[in-house]
Amino acid sequence: ASYRQIFLDLAARGLVPGHLAQKLAAAASFRNLVAHQYGVLDPGRVAHYAFAPRAPCQAELEDRTALVRPEGS
């Protein structure tokens, strides 16, 4: 499965809210565009995406991260 699909699968299993999974899936796709240089990137759009507010998404991730325990704890 792709990184994008993993987030969608987590949402399908009820482990991540659907709206958050969609945002994370989009971020994974964007990462692939940048990392693998698929097509031509518009620097203005890249800057907009890179500096877009992420506070609500980050808060949800922090809540979910609190549920994960390191192995052996």
Side-chain angles (χ1 to χ4, degrees), residues 13-37:
R13 293 174 189 227
L15 299 171
V16 173
H19 68 279
L20 177 59
Q22 290 294 327
K23 288 179 183 179
L24 294 171
S29 294
F30 179 74
R31 178 254 174 220
N32 288 339
L33 287 172
V34 173
H36 301 291
Q37 299 179 1

Side-chain angles (χ1 to χ4, degrees), residues 7-61:
F7 295 117
L8 300 175
D9 291 348
L10 288 171
R13 293 174 189 227
L15 299 171
V16 173
H19 68 279
L20 177 59
Q22 290 294 327
K23 288 179 183 179
L24 294 171
S29 294
F30 179 74
R31 178 254 174 220
N32 288 339
L33 287 172
V34 173
H36 301 291
Q37 299 179 1
Y38 298 136
V40 177
L41 296 177
D42 176 341
R45 291 184 69 193
V46 171
H48 173 76
Y49 187 87
F51 297 107
R54 292 183 295 281
C57 185
Q58 285 176 329
E60 287 186 68
L61 284 174

